[in-house]
Amino acid sequence: MKLGVVTFPGTCDDADARIAAGMVAEAVPLWHRDADLRGVDGIIVPGGFSYGDYLRAGAIARFSPVMESVVAFARDGGPVLGICNGFQILCEAGLLPGALLPNTGLRFVCRQVDLVVQTTATPFTSTCTVGQVLSIPAKHTTGRYFGEVAPEQVVLRYAHGHNFNGSQDDIAGVVNAAGNVMGLMPHPEHAVETLTGGSADGLALFEGMTRVAVA
């Protein structure tokens, strides 16, 4: 089982994503200029500031060589998880519905948030229960979700009082219609060890990802 982790210029959470992936599978680094996915069974597009996000968050990264392969991989049914900037990139690439807008407060915010699992019909949350609360850190300036998305595609919502960025309907994470591509703004890769992250709740999403990779 191999989970690839993409690195773009400006990515800053790829190291933690590889550590998290390495807890459930073999972590394989993928470089933005390289279209070769190295035989991975699943792909993580991590957080950061790809290409400096100078145009719009994720708008430049979506045109990188590796993303052409990621899009093809996803359309063939391969599991892809986008975290924060990765979520923004997957929306820009058309793999996920909606868009991420600046926080209502127009400021960068870093805080621990509670997320409520809405469905376990997606493999990513297949190790969870509906209504389960996951404690995961979030850190971004542009994370306010907006868009038309079917209710069954909403996987995670911010718990009451935790929607700090003003996301539509408290949406924190969505999947595509096929269920094999998921994006979320909070960072599960920073919540895989209670000693360093204060919570290991994020690990459940990576474990679920390996289930869909096996399937």
Side-chain angles (χ1 to χ4, degrees), residues 2-76:
K2 297 180 179 179
L3 294 181
V5 180
V6 179
T7 298
F8 302 96
T11 299
C12 62
D13 293 319
D14 48 340
D16 278 10
R18 286 195 297 273
I19 291 173
M23 297 176 77
V24 297
E26 177 185 351
V28 177
L30 300 174
W31 183 235
H32 72 114
R33 287 184 177 176
D34 193 350
D36 182 4
L37 297 181
R38 303 178 61 185
V40 298
D41 303 294
I43 298 171
I44 299 166
V45 186
F49 305 91
S50 56
Y51 299 94
D53 283 341
Y54 288 118
L55 177 61
R56 185 177 63 247
I60 301 175
R62 63 150 297 189
F63 293 105
S64 64
V66 74
M67 282 306 300
E68 293 182 12
S69 299
V70 170
V71 170
F73 179 83
R75 289 181 175 162
D76 286 340

Side-chain angles (χ1 to χ4, degrees), residues 149-199:
V149 58
E152 62 270 19
Q153 289 179 241
V154 177
V155 181
L156 299 169
R157 295 186 195 272
Y158 294 102
H160 179 69
H162 287 252
N163 182 6
F164 66 93
N165 58 26
S167 285
Q168 171 186 307
D169 300 325
D170 299 327
I171 293 173
V174 301
V175 290
N176 65 344
N180 66 304
V181 180
M182 177 179 173
L184 76 163
M185 284 310 297
H187 288 259
E189 80 279 16
H190 295 331
V192 296
E193 284 275 5
T194 54
L195 181 62
T196 57
S199 163

